Every structure is written in C-alpha cells, then in structure tokens.
Amino acid sequence: MNFIHASLLMRPGRLRTCLAGLAVTVLLAGPALAQGGASPREWRTPPPGDVLRGQALYQARCTACHAVDSNQVGPAHRGVMGRRVGSLQGYRYSDELAQSRLRWTPQTLNTWLQDPEELVAGQRMGFQVDDAQERADLIAWLATLQ
C-alpha cells in the first residue's frame, strides 16, 4: 500500500472518493486502453463501383490466387459479400483471420483491399489495391457473385 498517499489513509471517506474516481476513469478509458490507446477504426464506404471494370480487374489481378467457385491459394469468392470473415468451409485460413469476428461488407472489403494487414494482423494475403476507385470496382464485382 505504499502507493496510497498517507493523507488518504487518515481519511477513509476521501480514500473511497479517490478510488471511486479511479474506477470511473478506468471504466471510461477501458476500451482505449485495451486497444493500446488507439482510436476506433473508421469504416469507409467505397464510392460506387463499375461492375465490368471490377470483373476485368479481378481477372487481371486476383485470379493468380483466387477463383470464383473454387479454393486456390486464396479462398473462393462466390458469396463473399455478407459472409463471416475466415469462415468458408474447405479453406484453411490463418488463425488470426479465422478468429477475427468480422463480416465481409463493402466497408470491410474496402479496408481489406487497401491494407489487409491493417485490418487483421497476421493474415496471409500479400496484396493490396491502393487506388480507391479500383477497390470500389472490385467490390462491385464481388457483390454480384451470389
């Protein structure tokens, strides 16, 4: 108990007030402390995308690792929109991705395509799409794959 100032020990009511204030501070700051002080992620909705450009981009950039209907180096993409991240049966995801608790939406796909490692540290995809419109086009294409 060396960390409690002697004047607080002499006045129990004052100690309770101090501890109550500390508890409120910890409760309010808890989420920020748990994230290492980081601010919450800002989800950004991509601009409207062009499905045909997205299909062409998919063919040019994604098919080296992905296919629409079969697992390759990466998982199949049919039905990706709305699916829980890391949950496609028959594909072995990294533990981090399988445990992520995220769902594929335009916002999560936009963040993922911009920087997969930022979205889920420890994932295995080594590719990103820097251009916002190209990400939007790819997301528009993926949304058609029901």
Side-chain angles (χ1 to χ4, degrees):
M1 291 190 62
N2 341 14
F3 66 90
I4 298 176
H5 192 272
S7 67
L8 293 175
L9 290 175
M10 292 181 207
R11 297 184 190 160
R14 193 166 177 198
L15 177 61
R16 276 192 300 273
T17 302
C18 181
L19 291 176
L22 179 63
V24 168
T25 301
V26 169
L27 284 173
L28 293 175
L33 293 173
Q35 296 176 9
S39 59
R41 179 181 318 282
E42 184 178 325
W43 296 105
R44 295 180 188 212
T45 300
D50 181 283
V51 172
L52 293 178
R53 279 195 313 243
Q55 183 179 18
L57 283 167
Y58 185 87
Q59 290 299 317
R61 296 190 184 172
C62 304
T63 56
C65 296
H66 292 278
V68 171
D69 291 311
S70 62
N71 295 328
Q72 306 291 318
V73 172
H77 281 147
R78 184 167 308 279
V80 69
M81 196 65 72
R83 184 168 65 211
R84 193 177 69 73
V85 172
S87 68
L88 182 64
Q89 295 296 312
Y91 184 80
R92 180 153 160 57
Y93 293 92
S94 65
D95 291 340
E96 294 81 2
L97 206 59
Q99 297 168 8
S100 72
R101 300 185 54 114
L102 295 169
R103 189 161 295 279
W104 291 125
T105 65
Q107 295 79 15
T108 54
L109 281 166
N110 189 46
T111 302
W112 172 261
L113 290 171
Q114 185 174 13
D115 187 350
E117 189 65 19
E118 181 186 324
L119 184 63
V120 180
Q123 57 74 43
R124 295 187 302 243
M125 187 166 108
F127 179 79
Q128 61 189 54
V129 180
D130 294 326
D131 184 84
Q133 187 60 57
E134 289 181 355
R135 288 193 306 274
D137 295 341
L138 283 166
I139 292 166
W141 163 246
L142 291 170
T144 67
L145 302 176
Q146 300 302 317

